[in-house]
Amino acid sequence: MIDNFLIQCKTRRAEVLEFLAVALGGYVLGIIVMMVIRANTMEENECVTLGVLIAAIMLGFVHLFGIIFSFIGEFNMALSMGATRKAYVGSYALFNMAELAGLELLLFVFGKIEFAIMGVIYPQCDVILDLTQYFQWKYLLAVIIGMTIVELFAGAVILRFGMKALWGIWAVWMFIMLVPVKLSENEMIVAKMHQIGMQIGFGNIAQYLFLLGVVVAAIMAVLAWKLLRKQRVTV
């Protein structure tokens, strides 16, 4: 496992640099956009740490699909060169989690720097959205483990069923990205969900959703390994 992890560190250095470039590009873009918006439409005393927000969104998208396709190609190559499935998948997942942890730390630093920049440029600014407040270990760990499982599961599905499975993955992605937003715009649905939340208890709902996420992640991890364990190597 250790040897395979060290190989991951060597072969995926370019990948890390690419993600760093995406994070930096999204960060700078977000700061510029925030300044433009604030100068034209926002109130005098309102600021948003938009740089770290856009950087996080761009990183999430690029990392998800980048790792899926990277894993597909590297899986076949590694096994054809004699690596065992267990050692390779384990080391790939371990490096992926370390990479995500590093990117989360980078975003946190970016957020603090942006917060300081806003304080200097706009001393009377009231930051109405600071993403770093959500950088708590329980959320960060959930993202690290969750994204790793989702990426390897998606890669395993595409390896098993071919590129046609990509359309299904894309459909799920778009559903997650668009449907909740649309539902939140419906006042009747929002009111009904609020009523249900009051009856059940919002704290209990959060716990139920967390448990549901754990169960779904565990199922996806098991299915991914079953698919990869039986996957025929193609070169």
Side-chain angles (χ1 to χ4, degrees):
M1 175 75 76
I2 299 299
D3 291 339
N4 281 275
F5 179 77
L6 294 177
I7 292 174
Q8 291 288 322
C9 294
K10 293 179 181 179
T11 59
R12 297 175 67 181
R13 284 180 295 185
E15 170 187 296
V16 174
L17 293 176
E18 290 170 358
F19 289 138
L20 291 177
V22 170
L24 181 59
Y27 180 62
V28 173
L29 174 64
I31 291 177
I32 294 173
V33 171
M34 191 284 300
M35 290 180 175
V36 172
I37 293 176
R38 187 179 186 278
N40 291 278
T41 61
M42 299 184 72
E43 295 295 333
E44 284 276 339
N45 63 338
E46 291 185 348
C47 295
V48 177
T49 54
L50 195 59
V52 68
L53 179 61
I54 291 183
I57 293 173
M58 290 178 61
L59 263 181
F61 182 84
V62 173
H63 198 280
L64 176 66
F65 288 97
I67 292 300
I68 289 174
F69 289 108
S70 171
F71 177 73
I72 292 172
E74 293 184 20
F75 177 83
N76 286 320
M77 182 181 298
L79 266 62
S80 65
M81 296 178 66
T84 64
R85 297 168 191 263
K86 183 177 181 180
Y88 175 73
V89 174
S91 63
Y92 196 97
L94 183 61
F95 182 89
N96 213 59
M97 289 189 287
E99 181 179 71
L100 286 168
L103 292 173
E104 287 179 339
L105 177 60
L106 178 66
L107 289 175
F108 179 78
V109 173
F110 277 176
K112 292 302 181 183
I113 294 174
E114 185 176 10
F115 191 90
I117 290 174
M118 294 300 100
V120 172
I121 300 178
Y122 310 112
Q124 304 301 321
C125 175
D126 178 24
V127 179
I128 60 177
L129 175 61
D130 178 16
L131 197 64
T132 59
Q133 66 181 310
Y134 300 107
F135 279 65
Q136 303 176 28
W137 71 266
K138 56 185 178 181
Y139 300 135
L140 299 178
L141 187 60
V143 170
I144 290 171
I145 297 176
M147 281 198 66
T148 297
I149 291 175
V150 169
E151 289 165 354
L152 296 187
F153 173 78
V157 170
I158 294 176
L159 277 169
R160 174 63 179 84
F161 299 104
M163 293 303 296
K164 60 184 179 182
L166 179 61
W167 293 108
I169 295 172
W170 178 257
V172 172
W173 169 267
M174 295 305 296
F175 180 88
I176 294 174
M177 291 295 102
L178 299 178
V179 171
V181 176
K182 289 297 183 182
L183 291 178
S184 66
E185 296 174 354
N186 188 304
E187 295 182 0
M188 183 179 298
I189 294 178
V190 171
K192 186 63 177 179
M193 294 300 296
H194 182 77
Q195 181 182 358
I196 294 174
M198 292 291 291
Q199 293 174 348
I200 299 176
F202 291 105
N204 293 332
I205 292 178
Q207 293 179 1
Y208 295 150
L209 290 176
F210 175 77
L211 291 175
L212 177 62
V214 171
V215 172
V216 172
I219 293 174
M220 291 176 67
V222 171
L223 291 176
W225 174 242
K226 286 184 176 295
L227 290 172
L228 293 172
R229 190 175 59 182
K230 299 178 180 179
Q231 176 62 33
R232 181 172 59 87
V233 179
T234 58
V235 293

